[in-house]
Amino acid sequence: MVEATARFVKLKMKEWKESNLVLMKEAISVLLVMTQHCEDIPKRAVAIYTPFLCDKIGDIKLNGPIKEELLNCAEFCTAKFISVQVVKKGLEAKAPNNIKESCNFLTSLVQDFGAGRVAIKEVIDFAVNSSNNANK
């Protein structure tokens, strides 16, 4: 049921290409409600949402709820899974603000869950790649 809801939201958001801020906030709210009220959230449902969350993490209006939601998802799907998803989408990001906020989120993920529960090799590689970015 949770995965079906995530797929429905993705379709309503036009494959995450919707630019309406109110709709984006509501899509994040749907995932927030699922993480607060569901006992189990499958990784597939979170994997549906992570491209959207990682693409919008640099947006100042959505930054706080997205980071909170990614931390909630890390409790359900392991911090390692979330860190790999953020690194994967962060390597594709072109906007310097997305890269910066991805680094900030990974820092807070390591602080909250510890280095042993995060994909530390990928995080270090992402940090090296981010520090070599043309847009400092």
Side-chain angles (χ1 to χ4, degrees), residues 66-84:
I66 287 176
K67 286 183 179 181
E68 177 188 348
E69 197 49 51
L70 286 171
L71 284 174
N72 289 346
C73 290
E75 293 176 10
F76 284 99
C77 299
T78 73
K80 188 173 208 167
F81 176 76
I82 297 297
S83 64
V84 167

Side-chain angles (χ1 to χ4, degrees), residues 2-131:
V2 173
E3 184 180 350
T5 304
R7 288 185 189 280
F8 176 75
V9 171
K10 181 179 177 183
L11 286 174
K12 285 296 179 185
M13 293 290 295
K14 300 175 186 167
E15 299 292 321
W16 304 126
K17 291 181 176 48
E18 182 66 54
S19 61
N20 187 337
L21 183 64
V22 174
L23 288 177
M24 287 189 277
K25 284 183 179 182
E26 289 303 317
I28 295 168
S29 296
V30 169
L31 185 60
L32 183 65
V33 167
M34 287 192 290
T35 56
Q36 289 175 347
H37 298 292
C38 294
E39 294 176 12
D40 184 40
I41 296 180
K43 286 184 179 180
R44 290 184 303 230
V46 175
I48 292 169
Y49 258 93
T50 51
F52 168 67
L53 296 175
C54 294
D55 283 343
K56 299 299 179 188
I57 198 168
D59 189 349
I60 194 73
K61 296 174 186 166
L62 301 172
N63 187 357
I66 287 176
K67 286 183 179 181
E68 177 188 348
E69 197 49 51
L70 286 171
L71 284 174
N72 289 346
C73 290
E75 293 176 10
F76 284 99
C77 299
T78 73
K80 188 173 208 167
F81 176 76
I82 297 297
S83 64
V84 167
Q85 297 293 318
V86 171
V87 166
K88 189 186 322 178
K89 292 303 287 183
L91 289 173
E92 298 171 3
K94 301 285 188 236
N97 208 25
N98 278 4
I99 296 169
K100 179 184 88 170
E101 292 303 328
S102 295
C103 288
N104 290 339
F105 172 73
L106 289 170
T107 301
S108 65
L109 193 67
V110 169
Q111 289 173 348
D112 289 350
F113 289 93
R117 295 189 177 208
V118 177
I120 199 69
K121 182 186 179 315
E122 288 85 355
V123 171
I124 291 171
D125 291 342
F126 179 68
V128 169
N129 187 21
S130 298
S131 64

